Amino acid sequence: MTALALAFPLAATGCTASYDTRMTYLRTTAQRGVDTHKLLYSQEARIDKARCERAYDGSGVVDEAPHVETIDGREAWHAQVKEFFVDSCLSGKPKPVPADLPHPGDSPQASTTAAPTSSPTKSAATATPTTTP
């Protein structure tokens, strides 16, 4: 009975986190990066990539990340988590999660052909001067 009780948690953690779970975690990670930005700013500290990476390394964010099954997938996932934290720390704004970005073809205004637009300033600037004899 004890062996079964120990095996069940291992089986439960061996599954890959769902896409929605990972996107939720990326949102949380991005917000933690923003919070770090605010903290550094309030301390009048220099906010640069190296400082944000050090904050990430000490944050434990990757240790809390949902599980991804394959080693290649896990490495890519951990790199993505770090990217979301660091980018958000640098900018002070949460990096948009892929699930939240609009797809180019989904826009009702999307068009495969674009008509050139003219600017009143441009047409006036490119007009040829007329001379009087």
Side-chain angles (χ1 to χ4, degrees), residues 76-98:
W77 168 238
H78 289 173
Q80 188 176 31
V81 170
K82 182 175 184 176
E83 174 189 340
F84 271 72
F85 182 94
V86 172
D87 286 359
S88 300
C89 174
L90 284 170
S91 70
K93 297 177 182 176
K95 181 176 177 80
V97 173

Side-chain angles (χ1 to χ4, degrees), residues 13-94:
T13 60
C15 297
T16 296
S18 73
Y19 180 80
D20 289 338
T21 299
R22 289 178 293 162
M23 294 304 104
T24 298
Y25 192 73
L26 287 179
R27 286 183 198 95
T28 300
T29 299
Q31 186 57 52
R32 287 176 75 174
V34 170
D35 294 344
T36 300
H37 176 94
K38 289 177 183 177
L39 177 64
L40 293 171
Y41 183 82
S42 74
Q43 296 172 345
E44 298 180 4
R46 182 175 176 186
I47 302 171
D48 59 14
K49 186 174 183 176
R51 169 102 18 131
C52 289
E53 287 177 345
R54 285 193 306 271
Y56 170 82
D57 291 340
S59 70
V61 170
V62 76
D63 298 330
E64 300 166 2
H67 183 72
V68 173
E69 193 65 33
T70 65
I71 290 178
D72 290 342
R74 190 171 25 243
E75 290 172 4
W77 168 238
H78 289 173
Q80 188 176 31
V81 170
K82 182 175 184 176
E83 174 189 340
F84 271 72
F85 182 94
V86 172
D87 286 359
S88 300
C89 174
L90 284 170
S91 70
K93 297 177 182 176

